[in-house]
Amino acid sequence: MIRVLLAEDQGMMRGALALLLGLEEDIEVVAQVAAGDAIVPAALAARPDVALLDIELPGRSGLDAAAELRTRCPGCRVLILTTFGRPGYLRRAMEAGAAGFLVKDGPVEELAAAIRRVLAGETVIDPSLAAAALGAGPNPLTRREVDVLNAAVDGATVADIAAKLYLSESTVRNYLSSAIGKTGTRNRMEAVRAARRQGWL
């Protein structure tokens, strides 16, 4: 049996996926979690063969958890399953060590086949997303620019961001200005939206 951990914050979706995957003769869902910070503890306890992770989860993103799983549970293959088929997310998932990346609108048979394929050592990527990622190029934002934009998400002031990240206000302004230029936007909130669309945040 292929042991699967399922991380999905929407209860109905999580239950449906567990039920449908459970109908497969060779797949058993051994753990279900609704938050990103529960992924690694659940994986350490259940020892799944494959972790099926959403990206946008409460507590911690599936991408961050995937990177930790690579070191804490090296025998577990990660398959990202998300609503958000963004080129930047795909690139970040691969950098985190994910073995596959699918969007949620595919048939469950395709998902079951992908689980078997990643366990066999293959890399499985949604073809249309792979093409888009190749055309999009790498994330132009530096790690610090990403941090500053993430801190600006809720409309925080420059002073708020500076205090949160232990930076000077002039340094924050410089990072924001650079990020706005790189995203081709007019202000920090447009830059946040543009970076999110690309999956850079």
Side-chain angles (χ1 to χ4, degrees), residues 105-125:
D105 58 3
V108 73
E109 297 81 13
E110 196 175 285
L111 177 58
I115 289 170
R116 295 181 190 104
R117 287 173 61 195
V118 298
L119 191 60
E122 293 182 47
T123 299
V124 181
I125 298 172

Side-chain angles (χ1 to χ4, degrees), residues 15-16 74 88 117 141 148-149 151 160:
R117 287 173 61 195
L141 301 174
V148 168
L149 285 182
D160 293 336

Side-chain angles (χ1 to χ4, degrees), residues 94-165:
M94 296 297 107
E95 287 168 357
F101 193 108
L102 296 174
V103 287
K104 288 179 184 172
D105 58 3
V108 73
E109 297 81 13
E110 196 175 285
L111 177 58
I115 289 170
R116 295 181 190 104
R117 287 173 61 195
V118 298
L119 191 60
E122 293 182 47
T123 299
V124 181
I125 298 172
D126 181 276
S128 60
L129 187 59
L134 285 171
N139 177 358
L141 301 174
T142 65
R143 181 71 252 166
R144 260 325 200 183
E145 288 164 358
V146 167
D147 291 342
V148 168
L149 285 182
N150 273 322
V153 163
D154 297 323
T157 65
V158 168
D160 293 336
I161 297 167
K164 183 176 181 180
L165 298 178

Side-chain angles (χ1 to χ4, degrees), residues 45-65:
R47 293 292 170 185
D49 301 306
V50 176
L52 193 58
L53 310 182
D54 195 359
I55 292 178
E56 296 189 0
L57 294 165
R60 186 183 198 192
S61 84
L63 296 175
D64 289 340

Side-chain angles (χ1 to χ4, degrees), residues 140-141 145 149 152 175-198 200-201:
L141 301 174
E145 288 164 358
L149 285 182
Y175 282 133
L176 285 171
S177 176
S178 178
I180 289 165
K182 288 177 180 178
T183 53
T185 53
R186 293 173 298 181
N187 58 54
R188 75 179 81 157
M189 293 319 293
E190 283 187 13
V192 167
R193 285 193 291 272
R196 276 186 160 171
R197 271 196 308 275
Q198 292 293 333
W200 296 333
L201 297 188

Side-chain angles (χ1 to χ4, degrees), residues 61-77:
S61 84
L63 296 175
D64 289 340
E68 188 176 347
L69 282 176
R70 181 167 54 177
T71 54
R72 302 281 302 276
C73 302
C76 177
R77 303 278 283 167

